PDB file of all heavy atoms in Angstrom:
ATOM      1  N   ILE A 420      25.731 -18.010 -21.120  1.00  0.00           N
ATOM      2  CA  ILE A 420      25.082 -17.598 -19.876  1.00  0.00           C
ATOM      3  C   ILE A 420      26.093 -17.139 -18.834  1.00  0.00           C
ATOM      4  O   ILE A 420      25.764 -16.366 -17.919  1.00  0.00           O
ATOM      5  CB  ILE A 420      24.224 -18.766 -19.317  1.00  0.00           C
ATOM      6  CG1 ILE A 420      23.323 -18.293 -18.178  1.00  0.00           C
ATOM      7  CG2 ILE A 420      25.107 -19.908 -18.846  1.00  0.00           C
ATOM      8  CD1 ILE A 420      22.265 -17.342 -18.587  1.00  0.00           C
ATOM      9  N   VAL A 421      27.343 -17.577 -18.975  1.00  0.00           N
ATOM     10  CA  VAL A 421      28.370 -17.230 -17.994  1.00  0.00           C
ATOM     11  C   VAL A 421      28.596 -15.719 -17.964  1.00  0.00           C
ATOM     12  O   VAL A 421      28.773 -15.128 -16.885  1.00  0.00           O
ATOM     13  CB  VAL A 421      29.695 -17.968 -18.309  1.00  0.00           C
ATOM     14  CG1 VAL A 421      30.821 -17.485 -17.401  1.00  0.00           C
ATOM     15  CG2 VAL A 421      29.503 -19.472 -18.160  1.00  0.00           C
ATOM     16  N   ASP A 422      28.595 -15.081 -19.122  1.00  0.00           N
ATOM     17  CA  ASP A 422      28.819 -13.629 -19.167  1.00  0.00           C
ATOM     18  C   ASP A 422      27.734 -12.883 -18.397  1.00  0.00           C
ATOM     19  O   ASP A 422      28.010 -11.938 -17.652  1.00  0.00           O
ATOM     20  CB  ASP A 422      28.854 -13.146 -20.615  1.00  0.00           C
ATOM     21  CG  ASP A 422      30.072 -13.656 -21.368  1.00  0.00           C
ATOM     22  OD1 ASP A 422      31.081 -13.962 -20.692  1.00  0.00           O
ATOM     23  OD2 ASP A 422      30.008 -13.760 -22.608  1.00  0.00           O
ATOM     24  N   GLY A 423      26.487 -13.303 -18.569  1.00  0.00           N
ATOM     25  CA  GLY A 423      25.403 -12.662 -17.840  1.00  0.00           C
ATOM     26  C   GLY A 423      25.502 -12.865 -16.345  1.00  0.00           C
ATOM     27  O   GLY A 423      25.271 -11.927 -15.560  1.00  0.00           O
ATOM     28  N   LEU A 424      25.879 -14.072 -15.922  1.00  0.00           N
ATOM     29  CA  LEU A 424      26.047 -14.343 -14.490  1.00  0.00           C
ATOM     30  C   LEU A 424      27.177 -13.510 -13.900  1.00  0.00           C
ATOM     31  O   LEU A 424      27.072 -12.997 -12.779  1.00  0.00           O
ATOM     32  CB  LEU A 424      26.323 -15.835 -14.273  1.00  0.00           C
ATOM     33  CG  LEU A 424      25.157 -16.791 -14.561  1.00  0.00           C
ATOM     34  CD1 LEU A 424      25.632 -18.237 -14.545  1.00  0.00           C
ATOM     35  CD2 LEU A 424      24.031 -16.588 -13.542  1.00  0.00           C
ATOM     36  N   ARG A 425      28.236 -13.347 -14.673  1.00  0.00           N
ATOM     37  CA  ARG A 425      29.371 -12.568 -14.175  1.00  0.00           C
ATOM     38  C   ARG A 425      28.999 -11.092 -14.047  1.00  0.00           C
ATOM     39  O   ARG A 425      29.365 -10.424 -13.072  1.00  0.00           O
ATOM     40  CB  ARG A 425      30.579 -12.748 -15.086  1.00  0.00           C
ATOM     41  CG  ARG A 425      31.861 -12.112 -14.545  1.00  0.00           C
ATOM     42  CD  ARG A 425      33.079 -12.450 -15.384  1.00  0.00           C
ATOM     43  NE  ARG A 425      33.440 -13.860 -15.260  1.00  0.00           N
ATOM     44  CZ  ARG A 425      33.333 -14.759 -16.232  1.00  0.00           C
ATOM     45  NH1 ARG A 425      32.859 -14.399 -17.420  1.00  0.00           N
ATOM     46  NH2 ARG A 425      33.710 -16.008 -16.044  1.00  0.00           N
ATOM     47  N   ARG A 426      28.251 -10.567 -15.031  1.00  0.00           N
ATOM     48  CA  ARG A 426      27.813  -9.166 -14.943  1.00  0.00           C
ATOM     49  C   ARG A 426      26.901  -8.953 -13.728  1.00  0.00           C
ATOM     50  O   ARG A 426      26.996  -7.944 -13.025  1.00  0.00           O
ATOM     51  CB  ARG A 426      27.069  -8.764 -16.221  1.00  0.00           C
ATOM     52  CG  ARG A 426      27.956  -8.575 -17.438  1.00  0.00           C
ATOM     53  CD  ARG A 426      27.193  -7.839 -18.542  1.00  0.00           C
ATOM     54  NE  ARG A 426      25.990  -8.558 -18.951  1.00  0.00           N
ATOM     55  CZ  ARG A 426      25.945  -9.494 -19.887  1.00  0.00           C
ATOM     56  NH1 ARG A 426      27.061  -9.833 -20.535  1.00  0.00           N
ATOM     57  NH2 ARG A 426      24.811 -10.088 -20.201  1.00  0.00           N
ATOM     58  N   ALA A 427      26.024  -9.927 -13.493  1.00  0.00           N
ATOM     59  CA  ALA A 427      25.117  -9.815 -12.354  1.00  0.00           C
ATOM     60  C   ALA A 427      25.883  -9.841 -11.031  1.00  0.00           C
ATOM     61  O   ALA A 427      25.578  -9.060 -10.119  1.00  0.00           O
ATOM     62  CB  ALA A 427      24.090 -10.947 -12.394  1.00  0.00           C
ATOM     63  N   LYS A 428      26.882 -10.699 -10.929  1.00  0.00           N
ATOM     64  CA  LYS A 428      27.665 -10.779  -9.688  1.00  0.00           C
ATOM     65  C   LYS A 428      28.474  -9.503  -9.475  1.00  0.00           C
ATOM     66  O   LYS A 428      28.587  -9.003  -8.345  1.00  0.00           O
ATOM     67  CB  LYS A 428      28.581 -11.994  -9.724  1.00  0.00           C
ATOM     68  CG  LYS A 428      29.405 -12.167  -8.451  1.00  0.00           C
ATOM     69  CD  LYS A 428      30.237 -13.417  -8.505  1.00  0.00           C
ATOM     70  CE  LYS A 428      31.135 -13.504  -7.266  1.00  0.00           C
ATOM     71  NZ  LYS A 428      32.126 -12.409  -7.209  1.00  0.00           N
ATOM     72  N   ASP A 429      29.048  -8.963 -10.537  1.00  0.00           N
ATOM     73  CA  ASP A 429      29.801  -7.711 -10.412  1.00  0.00           C
ATOM     74  C   ASP A 429      28.896  -6.569  -9.955  1.00  0.00           C
ATOM     75  O   ASP A 429      29.276  -5.746  -9.107  1.00  0.00           O
ATOM     76  CB  ASP A 429      30.468  -7.352 -11.744  1.00  0.00           C
ATOM     77  CG  ASP A 429      31.588  -8.316 -12.113  1.00  0.00           C
ATOM     78  OD1 ASP A 429      32.061  -9.043 -11.218  1.00  0.00           O
ATOM     79  OD2 ASP A 429      31.971  -8.344 -13.306  1.00  0.00           O
ATOM     80  N   ALA A 430      27.684  -6.518 -10.524  1.00  0.00           N
ATOM     81  CA  ALA A 430      26.727  -5.480 -10.120  1.00  0.00           C
ATOM     82  C   ALA A 430      26.335  -5.648  -8.653  1.00  0.00           C
ATOM     83  O   ALA A 430      26.172  -4.657  -7.919  1.00  0.00           O
ATOM     84  CB  ALA A 430      25.489  -5.530 -11.009  1.00  0.00           C
ATOM     85  N   LEU A 431      26.200  -6.884  -8.226  1.00  0.00           N
ATOM     86  CA  LEU A 431      25.844  -7.147  -6.836  1.00  0.00           C
ATOM     87  C   LEU A 431      26.976  -6.760  -5.886  1.00  0.00           C
ATOM     88  O   LEU A 431      26.743  -6.145  -4.830  1.00  0.00           O
ATOM     89  CB  LEU A 431      25.492  -8.630  -6.675  1.00  0.00           C
ATOM     90  CG  LEU A 431      25.075  -9.113  -5.290  1.00  0.00           C
ATOM     91  CD1 LEU A 431      23.944  -8.263  -4.729  1.00  0.00           C
ATOM     92  CD2 LEU A 431      24.638 -10.567  -5.344  1.00  0.00           C
ATOM     93  N   ASP A 432      28.210  -7.092  -6.251  1.00  0.00           N
ATOM     94  CA  ASP A 432      29.359  -6.715  -5.416  1.00  0.00           C
ATOM     95  C   ASP A 432      29.468  -5.195  -5.274  1.00  0.00           C
ATOM     96  O   ASP A 432      29.757  -4.675  -4.185  1.00  0.00           O
ATOM     97  CB  ASP A 432      30.656  -7.275  -6.010  1.00  0.00           C
ATOM     98  CG  ASP A 432      30.777  -8.781  -5.794  1.00  0.00           C
ATOM     99  OD1 ASP A 432      30.061  -9.302  -4.917  1.00  0.00           O
ATOM    100  OD2 ASP A 432      31.581  -9.419  -6.499  1.00  0.00           O
ATOM    101  N   LYS A 433      29.220  -4.485  -6.358  1.00  0.00           N
ATOM    102  CA  LYS A 433      29.274  -3.019  -6.302  1.00  0.00           C
ATOM    103  C   LYS A 433      28.169  -2.466  -5.404  1.00  0.00           C
ATOM    104  O   LYS A 433      28.380  -1.532  -4.629  1.00  0.00           O
ATOM    105  CB  LYS A 433      29.152  -2.416  -7.698  1.00  0.00           C
ATOM    106  CG  LYS A 433      29.305  -0.893  -7.719  1.00  0.00           C
ATOM    107  CD  LYS A 433      29.193  -0.341  -9.122  1.00  0.00           C
ATOM    108  CE  LYS A 433      29.460   1.168  -9.125  1.00  0.00           C
ATOM    109  NZ  LYS A 433      28.571   1.907  -8.203  1.00  0.00           N
ATOM    110  N   ALA A 434      26.975  -3.060  -5.508  1.00  0.00           N
ATOM    111  CA  ALA A 434      25.859  -2.616  -4.674  1.00  0.00           C
ATOM    112  C   ALA A 434      26.164  -2.818  -3.196  1.00  0.00           C
ATOM    113  O   ALA A 434      25.858  -1.958  -2.359  1.00  0.00           O
ATOM    114  CB  ALA A 434      24.586  -3.362  -5.063  1.00  0.00           C
ATOM    115  N   ILE A 435      26.777  -3.937  -2.861  1.00  0.00           N
ATOM    116  CA  ILE A 435      27.138  -4.200  -1.464  1.00  0.00           C
ATOM    117  C   ILE A 435      28.190  -3.203  -0.992  1.00  0.00           C
ATOM    118  O   ILE A 435      28.101  -2.661   0.119  1.00  0.00           O
ATOM    119  CB  ILE A 435      27.633  -5.650  -1.301  1.00  0.00           C
ATOM    120  CG1 ILE A 435      26.485  -6.633  -1.558  1.00  0.00           C
ATOM    121  CG2 ILE A 435      28.220  -5.863   0.090  1.00  0.00           C
ATOM    122  CD1 ILE A 435      26.897  -8.087  -1.559  1.00  0.00           C
ATOM    123  N   GLN A 436      29.185  -2.933  -1.838  1.00  0.00           N
ATOM    124  CA  GLN A 436      30.242  -1.999  -1.446  1.00  0.00           C
ATOM    125  C   GLN A 436      29.691  -0.576  -1.250  1.00  0.00           C
ATOM    126  O   GLN A 436      30.150   0.152  -0.379  1.00  0.00           O
ATOM    127  CB  GLN A 436      31.339  -1.993  -2.512  1.00  0.00           C
ATOM    128  CG  GLN A 436      32.591  -1.252  -2.068  1.00  0.00           C
ATOM    129  CD  GLN A 436      33.809  -1.688  -2.866  1.00  0.00           C
ATOM    130  OE1 GLN A 436      33.670  -2.344  -3.884  1.00  0.00           O
ATOM    131  NE2 GLN A 436      34.992  -1.328  -2.395  1.00  0.00           N
TER     132      GLN A 436
END
Side-chain angles (χ1 to χ4, degrees):
I420 191 67
V421 173
D422 292 335
L424 291 170
R425 187 173 291 112
R426 287 195 301 272
K428 181 177 175 296
D429 291 343
L431 181 53
D432 286 342
K433 184 179 184 304
I435 293 174
Q436 191 158 13

